[in-house]
């Protein structure tokens, strides 16, 4: 009786109101913050280094978490990263397509984070966690509808000190190094904290943590000799024409003749500048994607405008056109136009953009957004690698969205490209960050394959990029302009070009092995606990 009275009468310590809720929100908040930091590490901000604390914070968030918790935390990371990164996708079609795309792509991040949590109990877990992240990027680059690689961690590192690793194993190795360095940063800090509390740190564990942080940096330093902008095959004088568009937005496609006239006029102005000695005579000229949305094979006026401009400059010119055959899908085509012979070669874009150039599941998508009907006739993909011989220079062709895909640029180089052109049309996306994100991809591709990259864009930013990733000339957005530059031509192949998909495949095997080990250990531990429980029950 007295014990009961005492328990009732004893005053209980007051609890700080709201503290349990705050504690429950710490990890979700950290997960979302890690995604926001990843977004901030991407262009146009020169904050590439934020990717390291982002993954350090993500490592703290995920380490030792249960799988369902990791799924939710990872989804918050994905949303924090991709919602702001992809805001340009809703520039003219509204928030629903943008948010739907970000929500779907964030699922890949969430599943990768589940794998990272699963392997976080293994020795040297930053290595396995980074490999699992690359598995998530690999999946996102392939499914659904051919994949959407936008937002690969490598594409935020055009100014980073780890960039030379792109020449070693392409974007998978560069992304892996960044993630490993970030997770290694967290694990090293954790080991230091454990040492300060109890001095019970295992030397092997501490060494693995420190190596995870240091090895990517050492690897990048060792890879620097691969970054070379010397002219192995001489130089070429290339001109990139930016004609500009009359208005921003999706109405661009209703301005076809005006856009064509703009590019023809700017090319003729370039010819006048050459004749006056103000700029050197280019060996060839590059127009952007969609510089002629009027099919010059079916429209005599468009053909005449192009021919007059090409004859004025007097050198081979690559024209971006939309071909409209009588039957079948449209073609997003680059045409090699000779000043004497007219059109002599074509390249059809291979990676056409879902929901932009063609509408998958059209009747279903229309339920959520009627803007799908702006794309009234789908584009079809090409199947041949694009390399044009322009006045003796082999130019590889990677059209706009294709720059995000590893195979597009590599295929041109293995087929003999001495430089790469990435003609693009970003007018639909206004003054958003999209054009700078895409330009960073071209800089990474330049280092990856040790090639000059020329980026002609309808409305900007057009640029000339050296094989070391440096931009030597660029335009302003929505300003008619023409860039003329001597660029080095190269024919040697980097390890990344030679190895192709093998570095990514090796990282996927690492991830699979680590996940298999994590599952095996979890099953063994569960059986051990079950056996111990049964033994205690028998003893009782």
């Amino acid at each position: 009786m007295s014990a009961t009275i005492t328990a009732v009468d004893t005053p209980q310590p007051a609890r700080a109101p709201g503290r349990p809720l705050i504690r429950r929100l710490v990890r979700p908040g950290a997960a979302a913050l890690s995604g926001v930091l990843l977004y901030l590490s991407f262009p146009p901000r020169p904050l590439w280094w934020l990717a390291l604390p982002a993954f350090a914070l993500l490592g703290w968030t995920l380490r030792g978490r249960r799988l369902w918790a990791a799924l939710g935390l990872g989804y918050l990371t994905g949303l924090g990263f991709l919602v702001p990164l992809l805001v340009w996708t809703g520039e003219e079609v509204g928030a629903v397509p943008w948010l739907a795309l970000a929500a779907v792509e964030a699922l890949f991040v969430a599943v990768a984070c589940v794998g990272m949590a699963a392997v976080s109990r293994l020795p040297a877990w930053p290595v396995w966690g980074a490999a699992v992240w690359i598995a998530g990027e690999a999946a996102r680059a392939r499914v659904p509808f051919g994949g959407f690689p936008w937002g690969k961690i490598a594409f935020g590192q055009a100014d980073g000190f780890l960039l030379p690793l792109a020449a070693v194993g392409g974007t998978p190795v560069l992304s892996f190094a960044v993630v490993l360095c970030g997770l290694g940063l967290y694990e090293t800090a954790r080991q230091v904290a454990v040492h300060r509390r109890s001095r019970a740190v295992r030397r092997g564990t501490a060494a693995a943590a420190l190596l995870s942080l240091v090895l990517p940096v050492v690897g990048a330093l060792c890879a620097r000799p691969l970054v070379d902008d010397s002219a192995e095959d001489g130089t070429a004088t290339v001109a990139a024409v930016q004609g500009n568009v009359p208005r921003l937005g999706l109405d661009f496609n209703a301005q076809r003749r005006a856009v064509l006239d703009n590019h023809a006029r700017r090319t003729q102005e370039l010819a006048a500048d050459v004749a006056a000695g103000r700029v050197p005579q280019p060996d060839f000229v590059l127009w952007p994607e969609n510089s002629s949305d009027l099919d010059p094979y079916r429209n005599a006026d468009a053909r005449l405008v192009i021919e007059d401009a090409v004859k004025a400059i007097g050198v081979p010119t690559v024209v971006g056109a939309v071909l409209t055959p009588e039957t079948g899908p449209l073609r997003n085509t680059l045409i090699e136009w000779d000043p004497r012979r007219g059109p002599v070669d074509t390249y059809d874009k291979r990676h056409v953009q879902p929901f932009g150039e063609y509408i998958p599941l059209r009747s279903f998508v229309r339920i959520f957004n009627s803007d799908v009907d702006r794309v009234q006739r789908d584009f079809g993909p090409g199947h041949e690698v694009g390399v044009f011989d322009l006045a003796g220079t082999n130019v590889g062709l990677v059209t706009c969205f294709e720059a995000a895909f590893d195979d597009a640029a590599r295929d041109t180089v293995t087929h003999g490209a001495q430089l790469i052109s990435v003609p693009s049309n970003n007018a639909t996306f206004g003054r958003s960050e999209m054009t700078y994100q895409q330009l960073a991809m071209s800089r990474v591709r330049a280092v990856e394959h040790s090639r000059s990259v020329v980026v002609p864009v309808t409305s900007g930013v057009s640029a000339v990029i050296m094989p070391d990733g440096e931009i030597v000339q660029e335009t302003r957005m929505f300003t008619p302009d023409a860039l003329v530059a001597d660029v080095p031509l190269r024919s040697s192949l980097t390890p990344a070009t030679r190895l192709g998909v093998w570095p990514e495949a090796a990282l996927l095997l690492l991830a699979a092995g680590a996940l298999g080990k994590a599952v095996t250990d979890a099953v063994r531990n569960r059986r051990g606990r079950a056996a111990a429980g049964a033994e205690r029950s028998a003893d009782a």
Side-chain angles (χ1 to χ4, degrees):
M1 177 71 69
S2 59
T4 304
I5 295 172
T6 301
V8 171
D9 293 342
T10 300
Q12 299 297 315
R15 293 184 179 181
R19 177 175 291 181
L21 176 62
I22 292 175
R23 285 180 176 174
R24 288 197 295 270
L25 292 178
V26 168
R27 286 190 188 271
L33 178 59
S34 68
V36 172
L37 289 176
L38 283 179
Y39 158 67
L40 293 174
S41 73
F42 273 66
R45 293 159 296 277
L47 302 177
W48 54 267
W49 50 270
L50 282 178
L52 303 185
F55 279 106
L57 186 59
L58 183 61
W60 174 80
T61 303
L62 295 177
R63 187 179 182 279
R65 296 299 97 192
R66 294 180 181 274
L67 301 189
W68 279 111
L71 182 68
L73 293 169
Y75 197 63
L76 289 174
T77 298
L79 291 177
F81 175 34
L82 294 169
V83 167
L85 186 79
L86 302 179
V87 66
W88 51 268
T89 61
E91 185 75 15
E92 290 294 326
V93 295
V96 172
W98 155 46
L99 294 175
L101 175 62
V104 170
E105 295 299 311
L107 289 172
F108 289 89
V109 176
V111 173
C113 287
V114 170
M116 293 171 73
V119 302
S120 67
R121 300 180 189 276
L122 300 178
W125 74 270
V127 176
W128 322 127
V132 170
W133 180 275
I134 299 308
E137 286 195 343
R140 195 158 64 87
R142 291 168 172 82
V143 294
F145 312 122
F148 188 75
W150 214 280
K152 272 190 173 185
I153 299 304
F155 295 147
Q157 297 297 306
D159 291 307
F161 64 82
L162 297 178
L163 179 61
L165 290 171
V168 175
T171 59
V173 167
L174 178 53
S175 290
F176 173 79
V178 175
V179 181
L180 177 60
C181 207
L183 296 179
L185 177 63
Y186 160 66
E187 184 63 11
T188 300
R190 191 179 75 86
Q191 293 298 322
V192 170
V194 170
H195 176 71
R196 287 180 175 177
R197 287 197 306 268
S198 64
R199 298 186 179 274
V201 174
R202 295 179 181 178
R203 291 184 178 180
T205 302
L210 188 59
L211 286 174
S212 297
L213 176 61
V214 172
L215 280 183
V217 179
V218 173
L221 291 174
C222 293
R224 287 191 66 83
L226 295 174
V227 182
D228 186 358
D229 63 356
S230 61
E232 294 176 333
D233 303 328
T235 63
T237 302
V238 57
V241 172
Q242 177 176 303
N244 201 21
V245 299
R247 295 183 301 278
L248 282 66
L250 287 177
D251 280 345
F252 167 82
N253 290 320
Q255 308 168 46
R256 295 177 293 176
R257 179 55 190 267
V259 174
L260 172 58
D261 288 343
N262 284 354
H263 286 84
R265 183 183 307 112
R266 192 61 189 86
T267 302
Q268 290 172 333
E269 292 171 358
L270 175 62
D273 289 338
V274 170
R278 289 187 287 268
V279 295
Q281 171 72 49
D283 296 316
F284 51 90
V285 175
L286 303 172
W287 286 14
E289 177 192 32
N290 295 126
S291 46
S292 175
D293 272 355
L294 293 171
D295 186 343
Y297 295 104
R298 295 169 58 85
N299 188 300
D301 287 346
R303 184 183 184 104
L304 183 60
V305 169
I306 295 170
E307 284 183 344
D308 286 347
V310 175
K311 286 179 180 177
I313 194 64
V315 296
T317 301
V318 177
V319 177
V322 173
L323 302 190
T324 57
E326 291 283 356
T327 59
L330 303 174
R331 296 288 174 178
N332 188 337
T333 300
L334 299 175
I335 305 171
E336 178 185 350
W337 209 289
D338 186 85
R340 294 180 301 276
R341 296 178 294 160
V344 296
D345 202 356
T346 60
Y347 166 67
D348 293 333
K349 186 177 182 181
R350 291 181 291 160
H351 291 277
V352 291
Q353 183 180 354
F355 304 103
E357 292 173 304
Y358 77 99
I359 305 296
L361 309 176
R362 183 183 290 267
S363 59
F364 174 75
V365 175
R366 188 183 293 114
I367 297 173
F368 303 96
N369 196 313
S370 61
D371 283 327
V372 298
D373 291 324
R374 295 197 188 195
V375 182
Q376 297 180 1
R377 185 176 176 186
D378 288 342
F379 283 79
H383 303 287
E384 301 293 329
V385 178
V387 179
F388 288 169
D389 182 346
L390 301 177
T393 298
N394 291 328
V395 178
L397 305 167
V398 180
T399 305
C400 196
F401 180 63
E402 292 185 312
F405 292 87
D406 290 342
D407 65 323
R410 179 179 179 270
D411 285 350
T412 69
V413 176
T414 58
H415 282 71
Q418 296 167 294
L419 69 83
I420 298 171
S421 174
V422 185
S424 303
N425 168 32
N426 298 340
T428 300
F429 307 110
R431 298 184 182 275
S432 69
E433 295 181 357
M434 181 270 187
T435 192
Y436 301 101
Q437 294 171 11
Q438 189 177 53
L439 187 59
M441 295 179 192
S442 294
R443 295 180 63 193
V444 172
R445 298 302 182 197
V447 173
E448 182 180 12
H449 300 294
S450 194
R451 293 293 187 272
S452 301
V453 178
V454 182
V455 186
V457 186
T458 51
S459 55
V461 172
S462 301
V464 177
I465 305 168
M466 293 292 104
D468 61 0
E470 180 186 0
I471 297 175
V472 293
Q473 289 190 36
E474 63 181 305
T475 66
R476 291 181 298 172
M477 293 184 74
F478 295 99
T479 303
D481 208 343
L483 305 177
V484 181
D486 286 333
V487 296
L489 304 179
R490 296 179 57 81
S491 55
S492 62
L493 303 182
T494 64
T497 309
R498 294 179 185 276
L499 292 171
V501 300
W502 289 109
E504 183 180 58
L507 292 172
L508 296 185
L509 286 175
L510 277 181
L515 289 170
K517 180 69 164 67
V519 170
T520 300
D521 288 353
V523 171
R524 184 183 297 116
N525 291 337
R526 181 175 297 178
R527 288 176 177 174
R529 289 193 299 270
E535 185 176 345
R536 286 194 298 269
S537 298
D539 291 342

